[in-house]
Amino acid sequence: IAGITQAPTSQILAAGRRMTLRCTQDMRHNAMYWYRQDLGLGLRLIHYSNTAGTTGKGEVPDGYSVSRANTDDFPLTLASAVPSQTSVYFCASAPSEAFGTEAFFGQGTRLTVV
Amino acid sequence: KQEVTQIPAALSVPEGENLVLNCSFTDSAIYNLQWFRQDPGKGLTSLLLIQSSQREQTSGRLNASLDKSSGRSTLYIAASQPGDSATYLCAVRPANAGNMLTFGGGTRLMVKP
């Protein structure tokens, strides 16, 4: 089934550890995004990529990094996890960043930092 | 900065009722507005996308309207069913804020049999 695949689905991580959340899409979408969803704060954009080879910072980028080596993959890395990064992380994609194309979301990764 | 508000935050209705969910945004300069559904512990499923030049979109029992000048959108659900129980999120794509989809806080809907 075409769409966005995130891995892992959930993870408990010790503070200070490094972790990479994986995101793969098979729709050949140019634009990809990482959001975090927190109770009371809604969904907030962490990083985005308009096309392979480019990335940009969203609303809450600190403590996170991304790369976009190809069209399909957009991994999110926490270099040294902290408890405030406990959240549900969603990867999304859209055909283009321009003019209001529809965004599609993955099923999420539930991350707990202890 | 664009802000998106959804009212009410929670809604409980008996099965069969028609209902309206509201979404308001502070800056009318948007490319589009998108309504999503989120089931507990799941991802977001796109329901309807309204471009800034459109007034409404329909899909089955769902109808979304957009009044860009007043900064409002409504999601109308006809003949609600227990399977419609979920959180409904609206998001706008601002015309002058790069790639940020800005989300509202959602409306948690419960349809009772």
Side-chain angles (χ1 to χ4, degrees):
Chain A
I1 298 177
I4 299 175
T5 302
Q6 291 185 234
T9 55
S10 66
Q11 181 76 44
I12 299 174
L13 185 68
R17 296 295 295 270
R18 179 184 179 91
M19 168 119 194
T20 295
L21 308 185
R22 300 185 298 279
C23 175
T24 299
Q25 52 102 0
D26 61 3
M27 298 176 283
R28 306 302 294 171
H29 285 173
N30 283 323
M32 295 188 75
Y33 315 87
W34 275 105
Y35 287 84
R36 60 178 289 173
Q37 185 177 34
D38 302 287
L39 193 63
L41 297 174
L43 280 130
R44 294 177 292 168
L45 182 66
I46 304 170
H47 285 286
Y48 65 91
S49 169
N50 288 340
T51 188
T54 69
T55 62
K57 294 181 179 181
E59 186 181 359
V60 287
D62 294 342
Y64 305 95
S65 64
V66 292
S67 62
R68 187 87 184 275
N70 57 60
T71 297
D72 299 342
D73 301 301
F74 191 43
L76 176 73
T77 297
L78 289 67
S80 180
V82 295
S84 63
Q85 292 177 311
T86 294
S87 186
V88 182
Y89 291 86
F90 289 101
C91 179
S93 73
S96 167
E97 81 283 2
F99 301 120
T101 52
E102 187 175 7
F104 297 87
F105 280 73
Q107 290 301 298
T109 294
R110 184 174 298 275
L111 179 66
T112 302
V113 181
V114 296
Chain B
K1 179 186 173 184
Q2 178 76 267
E3 294 183 1
V4 181
T5 304
Q6 291 186 246
I7 295 173
L11 183 63
S12 180
V13 300
E15 182 177 6
E17 272 203 9
N18 302 325
L19 55 100
V20 174
L21 308 182
N22 296 294
C23 173
S24 61
F25 46 96
T26 55
D27 188 342
S28 62
I30 63 170
Y31 282 138
N32 66 22
L33 184 145
Q34 195 167 352
W35 281 94
F36 294 90
R37 169 187 173 135
Q38 185 176 28
D39 293 287
K42 303 293 186 182
L44 280 68
T45 300
S46 179
L47 296 173
L48 289 163
L49 173 72
I50 309 178
Q51 302 293 353
S52 62
S53 59
Q54 297 175 322
R55 300 283 295 187
E56 65 177 338
Q57 283 286 335
T58 298
S59 176
R61 293 183 294 108
L62 305 179
N63 175 276
S65 67
L66 175 64
D67 184 341
K68 199 175 69 164
S69 61
S70 67
R72 294 179 186 174
S73 176
T74 61
L75 179 67
Y76 175 83
I77 303 177
S80 58
Q81 303 171 358
D84 294 330
S85 299
T87 295
Y88 291 81
L89 296 156
C90 73
V92 299
R93 187 181 296 278
N96 55 2
N99 267 297
M100 286 185 66
L101 261 181
T102 304
F103 282 84
T107 294
R108 191 169 63 254
L109 173 66
M110 172 75 71
V111 180
K112 298 179 178 180

